[in-house]
Amino acid sequence: SSSSSSSLNNPKDGDKERERDKLADAERKRKSAEERKYNKAAQAADQLLSPSEDVALADRIRKLKTLVCDFVKSVASPFLRSKTIDKEQFKTIARKATDKVVDGQLKGDPKCV
């Protein structure tokens, strides 16, 4: 019992716990920001694809591609930062994913919505 009370009084344990809490809080904030970005992109995409919009089709497609590309980049960025993928792989992923989603959306493919 004396070892457990000494570990509670050890300042290093408290520092480690505070550091874990800080990291967990930062992760929650990052995920929340990603969710907001995704929801904003989804709403914008819905508006762009609605037939009531009086926007030229080419403009709507361009805006959709921009939104999708921004979202794909936000998802792939942590892998680039951690050097899991290099810059060329990042670009390829962003380009191919964006093209696949936009093309699928235009063709009405439910897997790409």
Side-chain angles (χ1 to χ4, degrees), residues 8 10 12 21 28 36 39 45-46 49 51 54 57 61-62 68 71-73 76 82 88 95 97 100 112:
L8 291 175
N10 187 346
K12 288 185 179 181
D21 290 344
R28 277 193 299 276
R36 284 194 305 273
N39 290 337
D46 287 344
L49 296 173
D54 190 28
L57 180 61
I61 292 171
R62 190 177 313 110
V68 172
F71 177 72
V72 170
K73 286 179 180 180
S82 68
E88 288 305 312
R95 185 178 60 252
K100 184 170 185 165
C112 296

Side-chain angles (χ1 to χ4, degrees), residues 31-43:
K31 285 184 178 179
S32 176
E34 283 181 6
E35 276 185 26
R36 284 194 305 273
K37 190 181 272 189
Y38 173 78
N39 290 337
K40 184 178 177 184
Q43 288 174 345

Side-chain angles (χ1 to χ4, degrees), residues 19-80:
E19 186 63 28
R20 277 195 302 269
D21 290 344
K22 282 169 121 177
L23 290 173
D25 191 42
E27 181 66 15
R28 277 193 299 276
K29 286 180 182 177
R30 185 188 64 74
K31 285 184 178 179
S32 176
E34 283 181 6
E35 276 185 26
R36 284 194 305 273
K37 190 181 272 189
Y38 173 78
N39 290 337
K40 184 178 177 184
Q43 288 174 345
D46 287 344
Q47 290 174 351
L48 288 172
L49 296 173
S50 69
S52 64
E53 286 292 317
D54 190 28
V55 179
L57 180 61
D59 289 340
R60 292 178 15 206
I61 292 171
R62 190 177 313 110
K63 287 179 184 177
L64 178 62
K65 277 189 175 188
T66 301
L67 290 168
V68 172
C69 187
D70 289 346
F71 177 72
V72 170
K73 286 179 180 180
S74 73
V75 171
S77 289
F79 296 99
L80 180 63

